Amino acid sequence: MRVGAGDRAAGRFLGSLPFAMMAVIAVTDVLAGPGAGFLPLLSLGPAFASLSSSARRTAWIGLAALALCLALAVYDELIGSRQNFLTLLSIGGVTGAAMLASASREGKERELHDIRTVAEVAQRVLLRPVPRRVGPIHAAVSYTSAAARARIGGDLYEVVTTPGGVRIIVGDVQGKGLDAVETAAVVLAAFREAAFDEPDLPSVVLRLEKALGRQLTGEQFVTAVLVEIASERAKARLLNCGHPPPLLLRADGHAEFADPRTWRRRSDWRA
């Protein structure tokens, strides 16, 4: 899993925040004198550590807070006082709670990472590499998620060479995660079979609808654009099933949306 520069900067900031907080509190206590009562605020160190650190690192930061509290208590001549005892107790209690929070967060992060890994592997298996040349056309694919962290979803594409030409599908399944990947697998499997058997794109869509009718429930839906490029001519036929229109980039650099007649059946693949 690649981590962006923003994530690394945020990680460094959260990692240094506990030490910065304890340093500021220590300096403030020294400048203010023993009567100010800033020592209990040292518990903010392990508390902030639980946001990003492991349970072990949080424990070490808690021990550092206790050591710093004892050193400042000596400086403030509070060793052995009831106030100092309660301060040490509060830092120890906050450290214990922070360790539990860190352990719980780490467990959830591992679980989320495992789920993402499984879904990403499944998605890579489904979205096979597209050859550079398919029949009379050159093909290339660039897969970019709309959100930086939403790399798992139901986006799908496939290019199939048939005796009559090249057939392409680009679509999107509602939702993200394993359920969306499973639905995308149904669409791709049905398309790969129907693209060879059916005489035209509307017939291919009917096959896809039948396959999805056994898969989708409630308000789930799939949108897609299908393209057919015949071998004997350079024209392309498009059929839009509720999907945003594709962008046509011409040789002279002019770009326009290719907005074909929309396929209206079962509310655009809604189950």
Side-chain angles (χ1 to χ4, degrees), residues 153-156 171-176 179-181 183-184 187 216 221-223:
D155 301 299
L156 58 95
D172 185 24
V173 178
Q174 178 203 30
K176 301 293 180 183
D179 291 339
V181 173
T183 303
V187 175
L216 299 184
F221 63 91
V222 180
T223 64

Side-chain angles (χ1 to χ4, degrees), residues 101-119:
S102 296
S104 176
R105 176 182 50 78
E106 287 183 304
K108 292 179 180 179
E109 288 178 350
R110 284 193 296 269
E111 182 180 0
L112 179 60
H113 178 265
D114 292 341
I115 293 175
R116 283 182 172 177
T117 300
V118 171

